[in-house]
Structure formats: C-alpha cells, structure tokens
Amino acid sequence: MTFGLCNGQTMTRYEPMFKTCDQAVKQAHIDANAGILRSIPHGLVNSTRDIDFDRFYENYMIVNYGIESYNGGSIVMENEDCYNDEMNKIIIEKFGADFFCKKKEEVEREFEKFKILGQEERKKYIDFEYTYRLGMTDTRANYSKGYNELYKEIRKRINFSNLDFAPYKYTDIGIYLVIGQQGEIEKCEVVSNGFPETIGERIEKVIIDIGNWIPAKLYGHPVKSEDMLAFSLKD
C-alpha cells in the first residue's frame, strides 16, 4: 500500500502493495490458503455511525469467522480493488452469497447482549492470538513515558547528525511495531522505502532495547497490537 506520514513539509514514501492486478489476485488466494480472510469495503465513513458497534463488529467477525472486516477509507490504492474483489469471491464461496447480510443481523443481536456483560465475561469476544490493527482497540499501545520522551531517548543513543542517509531524501521515517500483551516489542521495522538498511537496523535495535511499552487494551484486557511511529531525523 502507498501512504505517507507527514511532518510539516516532509513525507515518507512506501512501495505499492500490489504492482499488478494479477499479483493482487494471486495474493488473495495465498492469504486465503493461509487462513487470512479480509473484507475491506471502501467509501466515505458515515459520521453518525455507532463507533462502538463498528469495533464490536470487526472483533466479532475475527473471533467467530476469522474474517478481518473494516472500512478501507475513501482512497483505493493501486490494484487494491483486484485483491478485494477476489477476496470477496473467496469469502462468498465459503460462507454463501448472503453471508454479510445475515451476519450483520446476528452481530446486532449479540451486541445487545455484550453491552450488559462485565469485563471478565467480555473476554470471549477477544482473539488473544490476533494482532489488532490501530483503531480496533479501546486504547492503543504507547510508550510508558510518552512519545516525545521516546524520541529524545532514541536521539540520545544515536547521533543522527553524523550519519549519511543518501540516497534517502526525506527527513522523517515510518517505524512499524507489534506490541505484545505484556508490553514487549515483538516486531520493530523501519518501513520507509529507500532508507539505508544498516541505519534502520540500528534504530530498530535501540527501540527494542529501550522497551517500556504499555500494551493496547480491548474491553479492559491487554492485547497484541500494531503501532506506527513517525520519527523525524532532525532534532
């Protein structure tokens, strides 16, 4: 997927997810064979929607049917529609043409039951093996002392003014993280296209060594989740 992290006039750029439609279609089958099913409609989000229900719906579909279902926003990336169309065909072949209509009614009934449950009873609506995306949890994972302190600590351990980033021409980078249930860093990766690999590895190691993350929470319980940092290479 192509997207950017903006910081003033700077932008970090990424490679497209799919270079061709055929590649996207093949990837849909690879994912499905690996047990990964995704339903990602695109379009403007209704401002009057029930956010709590939307989040419950996403989690319910994961826990009960292994389907990642969420709104992909108003912008469709290059060849992404090929992936989505093929994946929807796969889901319909497996569950039936009217699957999503039926399941929405089922989820609406289940949501009414869910709303009166206590925190411990809500555990059954969580997949503790799943890596939750940003926006799917009630609170996101975060560095215990705040992001500004994290960035200060990174700069304290790495003198960026002495490093050569060529041919990378931007002044910020994106860092992808997976934070475990105990706040441990399970994955840390600089994902900016063209950024020097050796410097990226140094940054990744420093962030892992710093540690001290608080995990995301869903329904009051810590869960594994993704996070994304936009880090400026300038002080």
Side-chain angles (χ1 to χ4, degrees):
M1 184 178 294
T2 304
F3 59 100
L5 295 171
C6 297
N7 183 6
Q9 297 298 314
T10 65
M11 178 174 284
T12 299
R13 301 186 186 277
Y14 301 84
E15 286 284 3
M17 184 184 295
F18 308 116
K19 294 183 178 179
T20 67
C21 186
D22 285 345
Q23 181 190 20
V25 169
K26 288 178 182 177
Q27 188 61 49
H29 285 276
I30 291 171
D31 287 349
N33 290 334
I36 301 168
L37 299 175
R38 294 189 177 100
S39 175
I40 314 174
H42 286 268
L44 294 175
V45 177
N46 186 344
S47 61
T48 62
R49 78 193 195 282
D50 186 336
I51 296 175
D52 290 336
F53 174 77
D54 288 351
R55 184 178 293 126
F56 179 80
Y57 179 89
E58 291 178 358
N59 292 325
Y60 188 89
M61 296 299 283
I62 288 167
V63 171
N64 291 277
Y65 301 102
I67 298 175
E68 296 182 0
S69 180
Y70 56 90
N71 189 294
S74 59
I75 299 175
V76 181
M77 302 304 174
E78 186 178 0
N79 297 310
E80 189 179 359
D81 53 348
C82 297
Y83 178 92
N84 293 336
D85 290 346
E86 192 66 21
M87 183 61 77
N88 283 333
K89 290 178 185 177
I90 293 169
I91 292 173
I92 288 171
E93 285 176 5
K94 182 173 182 178
F95 294 106
D98 56 351
F99 172 74
F100 286 106
C101 291
K102 285 183 176 179
K103 292 311 164 186
K104 186 172 183 183
E105 294 173 359
E106 174 186 313
V107 178
E108 287 172 344
R109 292 192 299 270
E110 200 69 21
F111 184 56
E112 293 305 311
K113 300 176 186 176
F114 167 83
K115 288 192 289 187
I116 62 173
L117 296 178
Q119 180 175 311
E120 194 64 23
E121 295 173 296
R122 291 183 174 189
K123 274 187 174 181
K124 68 178 182 178
Y125 296 101
I126 301 173
D127 184 346
F128 288 100
E129 299 299 318
Y130 181 72
T131 302
Y132 283 88
R133 293 177 295 100
L134 278 170
M136 291 185 71
T137 56
D138 298 324
T139 60
R140 67 182 286 181
N142 60 84
Y143 180 64
S144 60
K145 299 178 183 179
Y147 290 111
N148 287 337
E149 291 301 315
L150 173 62
Y151 299 153
K152 286 180 185 177
E153 188 62 31
I154 295 171
R155 293 191 182 95
K156 188 187 299 183
R157 300 189 187 199
I158 300 176
N159 186 351
F160 289 98
S161 63
N162 291 335
L163 298 177
D164 181 8
F165 304 114
Y168 191 75
K169 59 183 178 179
Y170 303 103
T171 57
D172 64 355
I173 57 172
I175 303 168
Y176 172 79
L177 296 163
V178 174
I179 308 298
Q181 282 181 254
Q182 306 302 318
E184 71 280 17
I185 299 175
E186 294 191 5
K187 186 172 184 178
C188 179
E189 181 181 0
V190 174
V191 293
S192 300
N193 182 41
F195 191 73
E197 184 176 347
T198 54
I199 301 176
E201 289 172 351
R202 284 184 63 185
I203 295 171
E204 293 161 5
K205 184 178 186 305
V206 163
I207 292 173
I208 291 171
D209 288 344
I210 292 171
N212 282 322
W213 280 74
I214 299 170
K217 284 192 174 182
L218 179 61
Y219 310 147
H221 299 280
V223 293
K224 182 166 65 171
S225 68
E226 297 179 332
D227 205 83
M228 193 76 185
L229 302 178
F231 178 72
S232 176
L233 300 169
K234 291 186 175 181
D235 293 337

